[in-house]
């Protein structure tokens, strides 16, 4: 990619870190799923402050608004609806939908969007 450069950081053995990849323009539902699970865990331990509760709601709204968008997944293979990414987002939404106490994020069942990670997504081929 034009303008990409390596970072002077240790990374995964054999891997490289790059600045200027396409991630900033991509919807990455797995990231939101991980964040939502983290916030939900903090809420269960009564460690979710007011700002974090608002951030949880923002993350839920971002997943909701962007659900129909294709994603490049963790592997950045091309914009499609990758099942692993979507399933991680669903796990985060489910965790966030559990009660977290007074004044917490949305309660009850997550809204249905007509999207199903198992019906509308692509699974990457795995070599065995």
């Amino acid at each position: 990619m034009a303008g990409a450069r390596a970072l002077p950081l240790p990374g995964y053995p054999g891997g490289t870190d790059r600045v200027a990849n396409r991630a900033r323009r991509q919807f990455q539902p797995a990231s939101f799923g991980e964040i939502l699970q983290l916030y939900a865990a903090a809420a269960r331990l009564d460690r979710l402050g007011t700002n974090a509760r608002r951030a949880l709601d923002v993350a839920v709204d971002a997943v909701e608004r962007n659900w129909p968008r294709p994603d490049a997944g963790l592997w950045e293979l091309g914009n499609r609806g990758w099942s692993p990414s979507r399933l991680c987002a669903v796990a985060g939404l489910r965790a966030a939908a559990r009660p977290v106490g007074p004044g917490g994020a949305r309660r009850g069942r997550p809204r249905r969007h007509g999207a199903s990670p198992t019906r509308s997504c692509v699974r990457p081929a795995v070599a065995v």
Side-chain angles (χ1 to χ4, degrees), residues 28-127:
Q28 296 193 353
S31 299
F32 285 95
E34 296 288 344
I35 290 167
L36 289 168
Q37 290 180 65
L38 177 67
Y39 285 142
R44 284 192 307 275
L45 298 170
D46 198 27
R47 305 294 294 170
L48 193 67
T50 304
N51 288 338
R53 289 178 192 272
R54 282 195 296 265
L56 188 150
D57 282 335
V58 168
V60 168
D61 288 339
V63 171
E64 181 178 39
R65 278 191 326 273
N66 290 288
W67 186 262
R69 286 180 58 190
D71 68 274
L74 173 66
W75 317 276
E76 298 188 9
L77 296 175
N79 285 331
R80 299 174 75 184
W82 295 100
S83 294
S85 298
R86 300 299 168 131
L87 290 171
C88 188
V90 169
L93 290 169
R94 291 182 66 153
R98 293 184 189 115
V100 296
R106 291 189 193 105
R107 301 294 150 251
R109 300 176 64 110
R111 284 179 259 179
R112 300 199 58 99
H113 305 287
S116 164
T118 55
R119 279 186 261 146
S120 61
C121 296
V122 179
R123 290 180 292 278
V126 178

